[in-house]
Amino acid sequence: MMRTRPLKVALLGCGVVGSEVTRIMTTHADDLAARIGAPVELAGIAVRRPGRVREGVPAELVTTDATALVKRGDIDVVVEVIGGIEPARTLITTAFEHGASVVSANKALVAKDGAALHAAAQERGTDLYYEAAVAGAIPLVRPLRESLAGDNINRVLGIVNGTTNFILDRMDSSGAGYSEALDEATALGYAEADPTADVEGFDAAAKAAILAGIAFHTRVTLDDVHREGITEVTAADIASAKRMGCTVKLLAICERAADGRSVTARVHPAMIPLAHPLASVREAYNAVFVEADAAGQLMFYGPGAGGSPTASAVLGDLVAACRNKLGATTGPGESAYSQLPVSPMGQVVTRYHISLDVADKPGVLAQVATVFAEHGVSIDTVRQQGKDGEASLVVVTHRASDADLSATVETLRRLDTVRDVASIMRVEGE
């Protein structure tokens, strides 16, 4: 039998995502009630600019006093879609203190203070859900922490930022340079006016921290994630990747060490073979590739951002949090029992693609090969082209540590015959 007294929901933020959450809660009210077992009522919407026109948003619910809203005491679930660290962190902890569960899309906050937020929720017997914080509409957080809870996850490899994937896809398909592709992404609404969080990898790094923490049952924060953006990726890098039968993607990579005693989390551009499933992810789409002992290889694919996709993930969490309220229970909290150390980037082992500008004269190749050998970095292939006293040398290594490769490059830079180390890019997905 359905309960007639509604569960009350407070919404913090009413931008693109918040407006969609409001619309879906209104238009799908009967379906949501049937799925939850009780009606859900939007009790208040906190915004910063009350005068802004928000189509379909009841004006009587709008307030600028977010603190008073979450302190009401009759609120069952708080939905936070304002983003950033503060005031979101204070509002969420205040909601917990007053008995409300929280659904958040705030990747930056969860990546920075997830452990403290989980602890605050557990202390008050409430829930913290954040499916929408990673990869938009793609169900990923719940499968990792629930569906695969009985399995051992070894690797999570993914494209988790649509803006950068759009830019790199355009560079690959049209031959455009980075600036041209960014301009197109901005014109189409895929890139913000200030795209720094996306193109410098901050957005993807926050998501990598969340995924690594869930996958490996250990605490991983944003500070633990090695981060590189795509601003230095050139048309020449894209062309080199094509010659190798690869494409370039900004990847979030979370790995358990072979001995199981540590983990790594990193975000950087990398070449991946065209045969890999992630290579076919185009435009602004996201995809995450998961490797587990029993389940094997799994891939999750879909729109990773936007009002409707993100609102879909928020509503899924809202249904779960409301069901738990009715059943006087809570969902899964933080699982950090493994307490595995996060290894620094220097210990990460992978393949590398290095482009060198060198003097076009006898003995240069042998000299370069000697430097690689001295640092214990094995060469897989070499391609050399020369003209008018200058040459380009492309070296692809076997697997080597980041520290050994860095030492190799520093030595190469000191050679008189090496004019420039034009680019260095990792090769993944093999």
Side-chain angles (χ1 to χ4, degrees):
M1 180 180 295
M2 183 180 294
R3 192 182 84 167
T4 57
R5 183 169 63 84
L7 291 159
K8 293 190 177 182
V9 177
L11 177 62
L12 307 182
C14 199
V16 174
V17 176
S19 296
E20 273 298 294
V21 170
T22 301
R23 182 189 68 79
I24 295 172
M25 287 187 66
T26 302
T27 59
H28 295 179
D30 291 342
D31 287 335
L32 290 172
R35 294 165 191 170
I36 292 168
V40 285
E41 175 187 311
L42 195 54
I45 304 171
V47 301
R48 287 186 300 174
R49 297 185 291 274
R52 180 180 173 185
V53 176
R54 296 172 175 86
E55 186 177 349
V57 176
E60 66 274 14
L61 296 181
V62 175
T63 178
T64 57
D65 195 343
T67 302
L69 180 59
V70 299
K71 281 184 173 181
R72 276 178 39 171
D74 64 336
I75 300 296
D76 295 289
V77 181
V78 170
V79 175
E80 183 270 311
V81 290
I82 56 178
I85 305 301
E86 289 292 356
R89 175 169 48 195
T90 298
L91 291 171
I92 288 173
T93 54
T94 301
F96 290 145
E97 290 167 2
H98 288 78
S101 291
V102 172
V103 172
S104 176
N106 196 331
K107 53 189 168 286
L109 180 58
V110 175
K112 180 177 175 61
D113 287 327
L117 294 177
H118 274 295
Q122 183 178 12
E123 181 181 355
R124 298 291 178 166
T126 56
D127 276 322
L128 172 64
Y129 283 100
Y130 43 87
E131 183 69 67
V134 182
I138 305 171
L140 189 58
V141 171
R142 189 172 287 111
L144 287 179
R145 72 176 184 176
E146 296 183 38
S147 303
L148 295 173
D151 208 339
N152 195 49
I153 298 173
N154 297 309
R155 195 176 198 222
V156 179
L157 175 75
I159 297 165
V160 294
N161 183 272
T163 300
T164 52
N165 199 56
F166 180 90
I167 292 169
L168 293 173
D169 183 45
R170 279 293 184 269
M171 292 175 70
D172 182 84
S173 61
S174 70
Y178 167 77
S179 296
E180 298 168 275
L182 173 59
D183 288 344
E184 183 179 358
T186 304
L188 292 173
Y190 291 124
E192 301 286 346
D194 179 1
T196 302
D198 293 321
V199 300
E200 294 291 358
F202 290 100
D203 175 86
K207 295 169 183 176
I210 295 170
L211 292 175
I214 297 170
F216 306 133
H217 304 279
T218 198
R219 287 178 178 170
V220 181
T221 69
L222 183 58
D223 291 338
D224 296 319
V225 182
H226 174 83
R227 174 193 56 79
E228 298 173 30
I230 66 166
T231 55
E232 300 300 318
V233 177
T234 66
D237 293 327
I238 302 292
S240 290
K242 284 185 174 182
R243 284 192 291 269
M244 289 179 59
C246 294
T247 189
V248 177
K249 299 291 185 183
L250 182 72
L251 298 179
I253 305 170
C254 312
E255 292 179 309
R256 187 193 302 271
D259 61 8
R261 296 179 181 177
S262 64
V263 298
T264 60
R266 51 198 165 102
V267 167
H268 54 71
M271 297 179 180
I272 58 173
L274 295 177
H276 194 282
L278 291 178
S280 61
V281 178
R282 308 296 300 273
E283 301 286 331
Y285 277 78
N286 285 192
V288 176
F289 200 71
V290 178
E291 299 174 11
D293 281 350
Q297 297 179 333
L298 308 170
M299 182 161 154
F300 301 82
Y301 170 84
S308 294
T310 306
S312 172
V314 169
L315 267 294
D317 280 350
L318 178 62
V319 168
C322 286
R323 285 173 175 169
N324 291 343
K325 281 289 181 179
L326 287 181
T329 187
T330 57
E334 183 191 30
S335 176
Y337 71 89
S338 292
Q339 299 182 357
L340 297 172
V342 182
S343 297
M345 187 63 189
Q347 296 179 17
V348 171
V349 176
T350 188
R351 298 178 67 205
Y352 289 87
H353 175 283
I354 305 103
S355 296
L356 306 171
D357 293 334
V358 299
D360 186 15
K361 62 182 183 180
V364 173
L365 179 56
Q367 191 179 34
V368 168
T370 297
V371 171
F372 277 86
E374 287 173 347
H375 291 282
V377 179
S378 177
I379 294 175
D380 182 17
T381 63
V382 177
R383 186 178 69 252
Q384 184 175 13
Q385 292 178 323
K387 185 179 180 181
D388 298 330
E390 298 294 331
S392 62
L393 195 63
V394 176
V395 179
V396 179
T397 74
H398 288 291
R399 293 174 66 82
S401 74
D402 188 80
D404 287 343
L405 194 284
S406 295
T408 302
V409 170
E410 285 306 307
T411 303
L412 289 171
R413 292 185 194 278
R414 293 195 293 269
L415 295 179
D416 292 339
T417 51
V418 175
R419 309 290 192 237
D420 185 32
V421 180
S423 72
I424 304 169
M425 189 168 294
R426 297 170 183 88
V427 182
E428 301 284 351
E430 294 184 311

